[in-house]
Amino acid sequence: MQEKLLQRFLRYVAVPSQSNAANANVPSSEGQRKLAELLKQDLAELGLVDLEISEYSVLTGKLPAYLPEGCTKEVPAVGWCAHLDTIDINMSPEIHPQVVKNYQGGDVCLNKEKDIWIRTAEHPELEKYVGEDIVFTDGTSVLGADNKAAIANIMVALETIVNEKRCHGDIYVAFVPDEEIGLRGSKKMDFSKFPVKFAYTIDCCELGEVVYQTFNAGTAIVKIKGVSAHPMSAKGVLINPTLLAVDLVNMFDRTQTPECTEGTEGYIWVKSIVSNDTYATVTLDIRDHNKKRYEERKAEIAANAEKLQAMYPRAEVTCTMSDTYGNINDAVTEDNKYCIDYLYTAMEKLGIKPITLAMRGGTDGSFISTKGILTPNYFTAGHNFHSNCEFLPLGAMEKSCKLTLELVDLIYNK
């Protein structure tokens, strides 16, 4: 299985599919559509039906149920979702992976020419995988295990199910673009093409990780129009929008920021201040696991914008807010939480120790869950996402794929 996973992974990372936050279109890059087209071909070869790539490059399809002759049991339809894009961290969009066979510990030279290393002093997690084959970058890009390890996982699992004629209900897949820039692709899903009882994403890291708590997330944009004037006649006339933006930022608690919080503690993050003589725009990210606190943070931003307007009545201050995604946990009910229980049951059967995380971020499942489809998340086995030190141990990746197969078996045998 490891060799199959590796070959699939290398096949998919060979297609550059970095998303582009500066492009408002979905998909934001042509490579994501090319990857969707490649996956559509691969899925067709496996016998999936109703394959469709939407105008937004959302690829959906179904593996029809395979049940014993005369079987009348109801098996719920289940879905898996993965994203097509890789993150843009101002490195090369081209990925050149390398495989270190039978890793023996110690530092690894990623790029001899550029003298790029991954050091165990900085990444002690490497030492957990002595004796394993590990996929690394060449130091000039991310690896793309986020999320192409998930794509390979799903494809190998489907191939195994088909070849071994495993019994299962309807299995749906959705491969979506632009997850890394605000879950844009999942927000463009046609859910009539994904009619599942529940679903899973495979979009976190270390072996054993389980996520069904994510941030509630939103963005606030405060726009300030000042009054411009020449310095020689500015007294009593000039309203400097840049200084107003600074005044606004200083109204917030500096301990309620990403660098000062952890775990389930939320924050307001001043992402940018863009200004000139007349206008300033302040962009803020709002995050909190607790829905009530999240709404309170939004209210705080609105109140501070109003306060700024009152302080400078000759300026024009406007504040707009939008929600990006929700906390998966807010969608959990007594009637659907069994799909999370399946994860722990499957891990126990496979001898995998669960690591339950409250993710300080979100997944496509954070949006899909708001649509009434509970979508928890489990590990790819990759490490150091969004970094040129990203790496993927193949033994742990194999366990993630076996977890996918075990979930299919549990759902059929429930």
Side-chain angles (χ1 to χ4, degrees), residues 132-203:
E132 285 202 31
D133 296 348
I134 305 176
V135 191
F136 293 92
T137 74
D138 71 345
T140 65
S141 72
V142 299
L143 178 61
D146 177 14
N147 197 220
K148 291 176 183 178
I151 295 174
N153 180 323
I154 293 166
M155 298 300 291
V156 170
L158 291 171
E159 180 183 0
T160 303
I161 290 164
V162 170
N163 289 344
E164 295 181 359
K165 300 187 184 304
R166 294 189 178 208
C167 293
H168 61 87
D170 288 337
I171 297 173
Y172 288 84
V173 294
F175 297 106
V176 302
D178 293 332
E179 186 268 355
E180 298 288 5
I181 52 175
L183 316 187
R184 292 183 190 176
S186 56
K187 292 176 182 177
K188 297 294 187 182
M189 285 177 65
D190 178 352
F191 285 96
S192 70
K193 311 288 186 184
F194 198 65
V196 299
K197 188 75 172 176
F198 53 90
Y200 296 99
T201 55
I202 311 171
D203 197 12

Side-chain angles (χ1 to χ4, degrees), residues 2 5 129 132-134 207 379 381 392-400 402:
Q2 285 188 36
L5 286 165
Y129 301 104
E132 285 202 31
D133 296 348
I134 305 176
L207 172 68
F379 64 97
L392 180 63
L394 292 179
M397 184 187 187
E398 180 180 23
K399 290 180 180 178
S400 178
K402 287 183 176 180

Side-chain angles (χ1 to χ4, degrees), residues 151-351:
I151 295 174
N153 180 323
I154 293 166
M155 298 300 291
V156 170
L158 291 171
E159 180 183 0
T160 303
I161 290 164
V162 170
N163 289 344
E164 295 181 359
K165 300 187 184 304
R166 294 189 178 208
C167 293
H168 61 87
D170 288 337
I171 297 173
Y172 288 84
V173 294
F175 297 106
V176 302
D178 293 332
E179 186 268 355
E180 298 288 5
I181 52 175
L183 316 187
R184 292 183 190 176
S186 56
K187 292 176 182 177
K188 297 294 187 182
M189 285 177 65
D190 178 352
F191 285 96
S192 70
K193 311 288 186 184
F194 198 65
V196 299
K197 188 75 172 176
F198 53 90
Y200 296 99
T201 55
I202 311 171
D203 197 12
C204 52
C205 302
E206 183 177 358
L207 172 68
E209 287 186 359
V210 176
V211 172
Y212 56 89
Q213 295 185 68
T214 57
F215 274 142
N216 294 286
T219 299
I221 298 176
V222 180
K223 294 186 176 182
I224 303 164
K225 181 181 179 182
V227 178
S228 62
H230 193 284
M232 67 182 175
S233 56
K235 187 170 182 179
V237 178
L238 177 67
I239 303 292
N240 186 337
T242 303
L243 292 181
L244 269 64
V246 172
D247 286 345
L248 175 71
V249 171
N250 285 333
M251 292 178 188
F252 296 101
D253 185 345
R254 285 290 298 273
T255 68
Q256 295 293 300
T257 58
E259 62 270 34
C260 296
T261 53
E262 62 184 352
T264 58
E265 297 170 341
Y267 56 76
I268 294 172
W269 184 6
V270 181
K271 292 295 293 291
S272 67
I273 300 175
V274 179
S275 65
N276 55 35
D277 288 355
T278 306
Y279 298 98
T281 300
V282 183
T283 302
L284 308 103
D285 277 359
I286 314 138
R287 300 289 188 270
D288 211 298
H289 286 86
N290 182 283
K291 182 70 171 177
K292 181 175 180 291
R293 289 198 305 263
Y294 171 70
E295 294 296 338
E296 289 171 350
R297 293 183 190 280
K298 289 166 64 177
E300 179 185 2
I301 293 171
N304 284 345
E306 291 176 5
K307 181 180 177 181
L308 187 71
Q309 179 68 82
M311 290 168 60
Y312 300 96
R314 293 172 51 229
E316 294 179 16
V317 181
T318 61
C319 178
T320 59
M321 280 182 264
S322 60
D323 296 322
T324 308
Y325 56 82
N327 186 348
I328 295 171
N329 197 45
D330 289 340
V332 177
T333 69
E334 287 298 319
D335 294 329
N336 65 18
K337 68 177 184 179
Y338 61 88
C339 77
I340 296 173
D341 296 337
Y342 284 152
L343 282 167
Y344 293 101
T345 301
M347 286 187 178
E348 184 178 6
K349 288 191 172 187
L350 294 171

Side-chain angles (χ1 to χ4, degrees), residues 28-43:
S28 65
S29 60
E30 183 59 28
Q32 295 183 78
R33 177 165 285 276
K34 290 180 180 178
L35 180 56
E37 290 169 351
L38 175 61
L39 288 168
K40 183 180 179 182
Q41 295 172 9
D42 289 354
L43 290 167

Side-chain angles (χ1 to χ4, degrees), residues 79-92:
W80 269 266
C81 179
H83 62 87
L84 300 165
D85 60 323
T86 57
I87 187 71
D88 179 2
I89 59 167
N90 296 310
M91 300 190 77
S92 173

